[in-house]
Amino acid sequence: MLNRKQLQRYSRQIMLSQVGEAGQEKLAQARVMIIGLGGLGSPAALYLAAAGVGEIHLVDGDQVEISNLQRQILYKTNHRDKDKAQVAAQQLTAANPEIRLHAHARMADEPWLRSQLPSIDLVLDCTDNLAIRHTVNRLCREFRRPAIMASVRGFSGQLVSFDFSSDPSPCYACLFPPQESEEAVENCSTAGVMGPALGVVGSMQALEAIRWILGLPLASRGRLQLFEAETLELRSLQLQRDNDCPVCGAEGR
């Protein structure tokens, strides 16, 4: 049952027929992990905290640098050299003190993820590290946890989500095989990126996360959403499961 303060705080989304008080209670009970608190994780975390997602785990092993501030909107100049996860938790607590925030100032390696995923409902991969992304993909499939993944290079963004509760679901390795991904590793520090493009795609991740928690259809489920910030174009490609995929194909089963 929502209290008076919660009804007031979340009144504008409770008004929506897709949410209502029952939907707001679903948000309050959800446990979400955000891996990567940079240009994508910042807007995603802000919107999920503001929406009243009850428990958010913030995972990032980096510290704030001046070059981050062009796009990572959770941080200010005085946060330089501080742990991103800790600063993010402080900023989000200030925005919404009613939710539970857990700061994990570390990288999301496989042993740690194995210990954490059983108590998580949904994972948002907001990293620019392909090795971590492939680990997240593989373990989310193993533990049957849904994953919403995104990336942005330059002006171009990508968003896709996977529902691993369904066996026929494709996975990230179907789309980007690990051996091919390793051949062309680029991130924001080497390729450059437009800040607002990250804001758009990170907000899309938050929107899809809220929709999943509410039980609404996801536009990105098994579909690669391509966003071009230079032209404001959004295209969608249906994904097919790769029978030769090392994670979910014949070899991965």
Side-chain angles (χ1 to χ4, degrees), residues 125-144:
D125 184 301
C126 301
T127 69
D128 61 0
N129 184 304
L130 285 170
I132 292 177
R133 189 171 299 146
H134 279 291
T135 299
V136 170
N137 172 71
R138 180 164 44 80
L139 293 182
C140 280
R141 181 177 184 274
E142 179 179 334
F143 286 95
R144 297 190 179 277

Side-chain angles (χ1 to χ4, degrees), residues 35-36 39-41 43-44 123-130 133 136 147-153 156-162 172 175-176 186 188 197-206 208 220 223-227:
I35 302 176
L40 292 168
V123 175
L124 273 66
D125 184 301
C126 301
T127 69
D128 61 0
N129 184 304
L130 285 170
R133 189 171 299 146
V136 170
I148 301 173
M149 300 182 165
S151 64
V152 177
R153 297 290 180 271
S156 302
Q158 300 178 344
L159 171 70
V160 64
S161 64
F162 303 103
Y172 186 80
L175 182 62
F176 298 108
E186 285 188 336
C188 294
L198 286 156
V200 171
V201 178
S203 297
M204 291 168 65
Q205 276 187 286
E208 290 290 78
S220 64
R223 299 187 68 89
L224 181 64
Q225 306 289 339
L226 302 170
F227 173 66

Side-chain angles (χ1 to χ4, degrees), residues 1 5 10 35-36 41 51 81 129 137 141 150 171 188 202-203 213 233-234 241 243 251:
M1 181 71 69
K5 184 183 293 186
Y10 307 117
I35 302 176
D81 297 328
N129 184 304
N137 172 71
R141 181 177 184 274
C171 76
C188 294
S203 297
I213 294 168
E233 290 182 307
L234 184 63
R241 186 172 181 178
N243 291 330
E251 296 179 7

Side-chain angles (χ1 to χ4, degrees), residues 68-152:
N68 299 151
L69 303 183
Q70 163 256 355
R71 62 198 180 279
Q72 300 181 16
I73 57 176
L74 266 174
Y75 314 114
K76 312 298 182 220
T77 302
N78 63 305
H79 294 144
R80 183 178 184 180
D81 297 328
K82 296 181 180 179
D83 290 333
K84 287 184 179 180
Q86 296 292 343
V87 174
Q90 293 167 2
Q91 296 286 84
L92 297 174
T93 297
N96 189 351
E98 295 187 353
I99 63 175
R100 301 178 301 281
L101 292 153
H102 302 273
H104 305 280
R106 57 167 300 138
M107 293 302 181
D109 57 35
E110 181 166 342
W112 184 81
L113 279 173
R114 284 188 175 278
S115 70
Q116 296 294 314
L117 285 181
S119 62
I120 298 297
D121 299 319
L122 172 67
V123 175
L124 273 66
D125 184 301
C126 301
T127 69
D128 61 0
N129 184 304
L130 285 170
I132 292 177
R133 189 171 299 146
H134 279 291
T135 299
V136 170
N137 172 71
R138 180 164 44 80
L139 293 182
C140 280
R141 181 177 184 274
E142 179 179 334
F143 286 95
R144 297 190 179 277
R145 294 297 186 266
I148 301 173
M149 300 182 165
S151 64
V152 177

Side-chain angles (χ1 to χ4, degrees), residues 164-186:
F164 292 118
S165 64
S166 174
D167 282 336
S169 172
C171 76
Y172 186 80
C174 293
L175 182 62
F176 298 108
Q179 63 274 16
E180 294 181 13
S181 301
E182 292 172 1
E183 294 173 2
V185 177
E186 285 188 336

